[in-house]
Every structure is written in C-alpha cells, then in structure tokens.
Amino acid sequence: VLPRSYRIAFGIALLLSLLCTLYGGHLVKTLTADNSKAIDLTGIPDVVVDAVRTEKPDGVITAAEFENDGGVDMYEITVLVGDVEYEVDVSPSGEVLDVVVDDDSGDYAMLKLGYALVIVGPTALVVSAAVVWRLVKQKSDREDVHKRNVMENLDGRAL
C-alpha cells in the first residue's frame, strides 16, 4: 500500500502529465490545421480590396486566402509595403479585423512548444512512476531489514 503522501505526489504528477499532453496536442492540432483556402487575387471581393487599400494605401496585395478562424469567416490578405509583409484580416463585409506583420516565427515557436509538451507529459509520468516505485521499494527494504532484526532479537531471547 502506497503511503498517502506518495499517492498525492503521484496524482499531481499524473495530472500535470495529462495537462501537458493535452495542451501540447491542442497546440499542435491548432497550428497544423489548415482551415484556409487560397484564392486567386482576382477573386477577392471589391469591398475587401477597398478595406485593404484603406488600411495599407501603399501596399501591394501578394496573396489571399479565405478562412474560418474560430467560427469567423474572413479573408486573410497578404500585403507588401516596402520590405515589410503584412497580414490583413478582413470580414466578407469589408471590416478590417486585424493587421499584423506577417511573421510566422511565433507560430513556429508555439508549434515546437506543443511538440515538446506532447513528449514531456508522458515522460514526466514515467519518471514520477519510477521515483514512486523506488521510494516504495526503499521503504519495503527498510521494513524487511527491521523485521529481520526483530526476528533475530526474538530468536536470541528464546535461547
């Protein structure tokens, strides 16, 4: 029987392992899912083009996608202004939803984190199980030594 403190420690390790694995899996799934469809530049609605031109008047549209991000339909328009590439998210009605510098390095970093968590979660569980097993084994060994000592003392008194 595991002592209560060992059961609590192992339960916490199990919970953290599960959370790491689930969150890492969620990151990987979210960042690798492709909910977008590339569209021809001539297929961009005029209202969307007008919104982009208002937002980035000196920009050149270089690519476009239609995507559903969290249940919201939008056009993701890539605009080049000088040497800087922007991602302009525009609703089908022409409302600019977001404008960011198009730098996928953050996505890549989060994807690496996701894969790391997927690996670390089960590994942490295995390590914590090994530690608990070793602690239980040490306790069992100490109890065996104690029992032998008691038996030897009893045997000595019986003579």
Side-chain angles (χ1 to χ4, degrees), residues 8 13 16 43 52 79 90 93 95 105 107 111 116 149 155:
I8 290 171
L16 289 174
V52 171
V79 181
V90 183
S93 65
E95 176 188 355
S105 64
D107 288 348
L111 186 61
N149 288 339
D155 285 345

Side-chain angles (χ1 to χ4, degrees), residues 66-146:
F66 184 78
E67 65 181 31
N68 184 295
D69 188 13
V72 177
D73 287 339
M74 71 177 73
Y75 289 89
E76 183 179 284
I77 310 297
T78 304
V79 181
L80 189 62
V81 180
D83 291 338
V84 180
E85 194 171 70
Y86 293 90
E87 185 178 283
V88 182
D89 294 337
V90 183
S91 72
S93 65
E95 176 188 355
V96 175
L97 303 172
D98 196 17
V99 179
V100 294
V101 173
D102 192 9
D103 178 10
D104 291 331
S105 64
D107 288 348
Y108 182 68
M110 291 302 285
L111 186 61
K112 286 186 356 185
L113 173 64
Y115 281 121
L117 288 174
V118 167
I119 292 168
V120 166
T123 304
L125 181 61
V126 169
V127 168
S128 61
V131 167
V132 168
W133 177 83
R134 182 68 181 146
L135 291 172
V136 169
K137 179 82 172 111
Q138 286 175 345
K139 183 176 185 219
S140 175
D141 290 347
R142 282 193 307 269
E143 288 173 353
D144 289 346
V145 168
H146 177 71

Side-chain angles (χ1 to χ4, degrees), residues 55-68:
E55 189 67 37
K56 295 291 177 193
D58 297 334
V60 176
I61 297 175
T62 59
E65 296 178 345
F66 184 78
E67 65 181 31
N68 184 295

